[in-house]
Amino acid sequence: EKWLLLDGPVDTLWIESMNTVLDDNKVLTLINGDRISMPPSVSLLFEVEDLAVASPATVSRAGMVYFDADSLGWRPYVMSWVQRTFS
């Protein structure tokens, strides 16, 4: 299995193009009409700050996991730094 990690802000111009990839058929339809199929072994993971500009159609196609940075506290940040620094 392969994962594509997309990390960054959601932009209205490209997120709507992702709707066809998020469907069951997993075909990316580009603005010029070209179609790119993704194999079943490929999954997408979006790491975004918010979904303010995403349409309901996009949001309904994706599973959401929300982490409130204030609720996490400082411990995950320190543990991540220790792992990166001393591993």
Side-chain angles (χ1 to χ4, degrees), residues 21-71:
V21 154
L22 297 173
D23 285 339
D24 290 338
N25 60 13
K26 295 178 86 173
V27 175
L28 175 61
T29 304
L30 302 176
I31 292 174
N32 66 1
D34 288 347
R35 297 166 56 90
I36 301 170
S37 288
M38 279 189 8
S41 61
V42 175
S43 298
L44 296 173
L45 176 65
F46 295 89
E47 185 176 340
V48 299
E49 184 175 335
D50 62 53
L51 295 169
V53 297
S55 71
T58 301
V59 173
S60 70
R61 287 174 167 86
M64 304 291 159
V65 178
Y66 175 75
F67 291 101
D68 181 22
D70 293 335
S71 297

